[in-house]
Amino acid sequence: ETVRWYAKQIYSKLNVSGREEAVAKAAAIGLLDTATEASSEVPRPKPKHTLPTQITSFIGRETELEELARILTLPEVRLVTVLAPGGMGKTRLALEAGEQQLDTFPDGVYFVPLQPMTHIEQIVPAIAQQVGFQYAPDERSPKQQVLDYLRGKTLLLVIDNWEHLLDGAP
């Protein structure tokens, strides 16, 4: 009902009676970008991701970012581990690398923070939640369902703070 009301308001302001007339009039008076409208190229949807918004600029570490980007393009690479002492910016580096890879992974880039987890049983549900997976009521285990869902995808999981749950790595 609200959408209909707004459509009527727009039609009234443009002094037209329907959508086609409204689009034509809006284009004629310069309210539409006709170059985009005429383009045969379909705009790509925004990539899916759950990367947290960074409130500060990322400065430096170009060499590391370039190396991560290179490694992530190798088809045989399925796992990349960033190692450094605490406080060196591993998470921030991984988030920036993930941000730079949004167009590379058509099924998304997802941040899975494991820091608050205390048991390895929480890993699979955390991954499922971040990628938006809904479990099916079938005989497969939750882990198998998530693995089956991810198997056909081209996505990047940025899993942070894995070190205290290493027994859950398999």
Side-chain angles (χ1 to χ4, degrees):
E1 195 61 34
T2 303
V3 172
R4 284 190 194 110
W5 183 86
Y6 277 109
K8 286 179 185 177
Q9 298 303 308
I10 292 169
Y11 297 163
S12 172
K13 294 286 184 196
L14 292 173
N15 197 23
V16 297
S17 60
R19 183 183 183 284
E20 286 181 24
E21 282 183 79
V23 170
K25 180 116 183 219
I29 61 175
L31 293 176
L32 294 179
D33 182 359
T34 53
T36 304
E37 293 292 317
S39 172
S40 61
E41 185 177 319
V42 176
R44 287 181 45 168
K46 244 184 145 181
K48 295 183 275 185
H49 71 85
T50 61
L51 298 172
T53 302
Q54 301 302 309
I55 57 172
T56 59
S57 299
F58 189 85
I59 300 171
R61 315 273 304 258
E62 288 85 7
T63 304
E64 291 89 345
L65 287 170
E66 288 171 8
E67 183 65 8
L68 283 169
R70 185 190 68 74
I71 291 170
L72 291 171
T73 64
L74 301 173
E76 67 272 13
V77 173
R78 310 271 303 177
L79 175 68
V80 176
T81 302
V82 178
L83 295 172
M88 296 297 292
K90 298 178 296 292
T91 299
R92 187 67 173 91
L93 176 64
L95 290 173
E96 184 66 23
E99 180 85 25
Q100 292 182 3
Q101 297 300 313
L102 288 175
D103 289 332
T104 306
F105 293 91
D107 294 312
V109 176
Y110 301 95
F111 180 63
V112 184
L114 297 183
Q115 187 271 334
M117 309 295 163
T118 56
H119 302 298
I120 62 173
E121 294 81 23
Q122 295 171 301
I123 296 171
V124 171
I127 293 171
Q129 178 183 3
Q130 290 303 312
V131 300
F133 175 73
Q134 298 291 317
Y135 294 103
D138 62 28
E139 70 284 346
R140 295 174 299 156
S141 70
K143 179 180 177 181
Q144 189 60 53
Q145 287 188 46
V146 171
L147 289 172
D148 291 345
Y149 173 77
L150 295 175
R151 184 169 289 114
K153 306 271 187 260
T154 302
L155 57 80
L156 176 63
L157 294 176
V158 178
I159 303 177
D160 191 36
N161 284 292
W162 193 280
E163 62 273 10
H164 69 287
L165 298 170
L166 286 178
D167 290 341

